[in-house]
Amino acid sequence: MELESETQELHLRVNGEPEGKVSTEERSHNYSWRLRVSLYVTLLLAGETIATLLGRLYYDKGGKSTWLETLVQLVGFPLTLPCYYYIKPEPSKNKTITKKPTPSFLTLSLVYIGLGLLVAGHSVMYSFGLLYLPVSTFSLISASQLAFNAVFSYFLNSQKITPFILNSLVLLTISSTLLVIQHEPESSNSSSSKSNYVIGYICAIGGSAGYSLVLSLTDYAFEKILKKYTFKAILDMATYPSLVATCIVVVGLFGSGGWKMLSTEMQEFQLGKNSYLLITIGSTISWQAFSIGSVGLILEVSSLFSNVISTICLPVVPVLAVVFFRDEMSRIKLIAMFLAIWGFVSYAYQHYVDDRKPEEEQELPQHEEKEEM
């Protein structure tokens, strides 16, 4: 039994699977794992779609504070605090003989503070991008996060760049670039100028790159530093960086004097004070659901898979934007959407190929044994 355990442990290390995670072969038949992944996928997709549309609605109906729009992306972390008391942490599924050292308080603090700074940075850029761009254009540009994540995962998470992934990177790059050559900057705000469009484009690209970097660093932190594959680890990773980022944004909100305008903005909001509060609260809850889903998928699968699922919103958000915000769906946007979806399918197919390999490797020895008999 000891020899078999050591062989399985060696197999996990050789194939690059973290010791605390369930192997690809095991989790494919694990109902509990599939249920958790399905839950995280639902939280991520619903949270991202609703939050993006509510953010655009906030700007369209008179909202002007990018600091507030940034704050609602982060300040929802207290909603998960009751989980610490009502949900028991799940033990690591693969126990090793030697006990792993626990990271020091200083190490954990540096991890959470560093991630918090990056989260605050990409959240601010996200808010400016959504302010200056139509939501359909913004969503298409945000698809570039998949390309950024592939690059970061290559250097930080030992992700291989296969022909399918390379094809996806090229398509997503072309898709985002096409949106720059539109004849006229489109925006629901009539005062928006070409320079604002360029600023929005740069911020959208920067926000996508920052988000992808956070995903890859989170994956790296789980595997190399935390080495804890429990639900509590998900809560910690969703809570502490958000706490740091929230403090930074609050300082920015009060330091810039933007908080003084919030009361007036609420009174002058086109849909009324109550709608203003509901949009703010709804955005906060949606972003927190997105955060939990994103971190959960990083833990259960990988940062790459989390980002792939996030881009599923690509064809959904622009269509909803045309319906609710009357965004114009130009030919260039349609071509960009087609290329981005093609890039996503190429990326998803690579995941399908990767998942099939363990099954084929398992079937091959069985087939050889039958031939020998």
Side-chain angles (χ1 to χ4, degrees):
M1 293 294 291
E2 293 180 359
L3 179 60
E4 182 181 356
S5 177
E6 292 176 359
T7 303
Q8 290 177 350
E9 182 179 347
L10 179 60
H11 175 75
L12 290 175
R13 292 179 179 176
V14 169
N15 285 277
E17 292 281 356
E19 296 175 26
K21 289 185 179 180
V22 184
S23 67
T24 305
E25 179 183 344
E26 289 175 345
R27 71 190 183 199
S28 64
H29 302 287
N30 192 325
Y31 176 78
S32 176
W33 177 84
R34 290 185 178 185
L35 185 63
R36 292 196 303 272
V37 170
S38 299
L39 174 61
Y40 294 139
V41 167
T42 302
L43 288 174
L44 189 152
L45 292 179
E48 182 178 17
T49 302
I50 296 173
T52 302
L53 294 176
L54 288 178
R56 183 68 262 172
L57 181 63
Y58 165 77
Y59 284 133
D60 279 357
K61 299 305 178 181
K64 300 176 182 178
S65 176
T66 53
W67 286 113
L68 179 61
E69 180 59 24
T70 303
L71 188 61
V72 297
Q73 300 175 43
L74 309 167
V75 76
F77 69 88
L79 296 174
T80 61
L81 294 181
C83 295
Y84 282 102
Y85 300 97
Y86 295 105
I87 298 181
K88 295 181 180 180
E90 300 175 5
S92 178
K93 299 195 180 209
N94 292 328
K95 296 182 180 180
T96 56
I97 299 175
T98 58
K99 187 177 180 181
K100 299 176 184 177
T102 304
S104 65
F105 175 79
L106 178 60
T107 300
L108 291 176
S109 298
L110 291 176
V111 169
Y112 295 139
I113 292 174
L115 289 175
L117 291 171
L118 288 173
V119 168
H122 84 69
S123 297
V124 170
M125 287 188 284
Y126 175 94
S127 298
F128 276 100
L130 193 58
L131 171 64
Y132 292 130
L133 297 175
V135 67
S136 55
T137 302
F138 175 80
S139 297
L140 290 172
I141 294 175
S142 296
S144 62
Q145 69 190 36
L146 203 56
F148 286 116
N149 196 199
V151 175
F152 293 135
S153 295
Y154 175 78
F155 291 103
L156 296 174
N157 312 123
S158 301
Q159 172 68 40
K160 295 180 180 179
I161 303 296
T162 65
F164 289 110
I165 291 180
L166 183 60
N167 178 62
S168 178
L169 299 185
V170 173
L171 291 172
L172 291 170
T173 301
I174 296 175
S175 173
S176 297
T177 305
L178 280 176
L179 297 175
V180 187
I181 62 176
Q182 295 185 97
H183 296 296
E184 296 180 1
E186 303 171 38
S187 177
S188 57
N189 187 350
S190 59
S191 64
S192 179
S193 64
K194 186 175 181 179
S195 60
N196 285 340
Y197 182 88
V198 173
I199 293 173
Y201 180 87
I202 294 174
C203 288
I205 289 290
S208 297
Y211 173 70
S212 299
L213 180 59
V214 168
L215 289 183
S216 294
L217 287 175
T218 301
D219 199 353
Y220 182 87
F222 272 129
E223 295 187 8
K224 303 297 183 181
I225 301 175
L226 300 180
K227 298 180 180 179
K228 294 180 180 179
Y229 304 96
T230 63
F231 186 73
K232 182 179 182 299
I234 298 178
L235 294 179
D236 290 343
M237 192 59 75
T239 301
Y240 295 123
S242 294
L243 174 60
V244 173
T246 298
C247 293
I248 294 172
V249 174
V250 168
V251 170
L253 176 65
F254 283 88
S256 64
W259 64 276
K260 298 178 182 178
M261 304 298 297
L262 294 182
S263 178
T264 303
E265 181 180 282
M266 185 185 301
Q267 298 296 333
E268 297 176 354
F269 195 65
Q270 295 178 21
L271 298 179
K273 182 178 179 181
N274 292 335
S275 296
Y276 183 92
L277 294 173
L278 288 176
I279 290 173
T280 303
I281 295 172
S283 296
T284 301
I285 296 174
S286 299
W287 280 121
Q288 189 57 31
F290 168 80
S291 177
I292 291 293
S294 177
V295 176
L297 289 179
I298 292 174
L299 176 61
E300 296 292 346
V301 190
S302 69
S303 65
L304 211 53
F305 183 80
S306 179
N307 218 333
V308 168
I309 296 301
S310 179
T311 57
I312 291 179
C313 290
L314 170 66
V316 177
V317 174
V319 171
L320 293 178
V322 172
V323 175
F324 293 107
F325 302 111
R326 301 295 186 267
D327 278 4
E328 180 183 349
M329 188 57 68
S330 63
R331 292 181 180 178
I332 291 181
K333 278 188 181 181
L334 288 174
I335 295 174
M337 180 183 292
F338 172 76
L339 291 176
I341 294 175
W342 185 5
F344 164 74
V345 171
S346 180
Y347 220 118
Y349 182 75
Q350 181 60 55
H351 272 278
Y352 170 77
V353 172
D354 292 340
D355 289 339
R356 289 290 300 173
K357 283 182 179 179
E359 297 179 7
E360 294 174 355
E361 291 173 358
Q362 182 182 14
E363 292 174 359
L364 184 59
Q366 294 177 353
H367 181 69
E368 291 177 350
E369 288 178 3
K370 289 181 180 180
E371 288 182 349
E372 290 177 0
M373 293 178 62

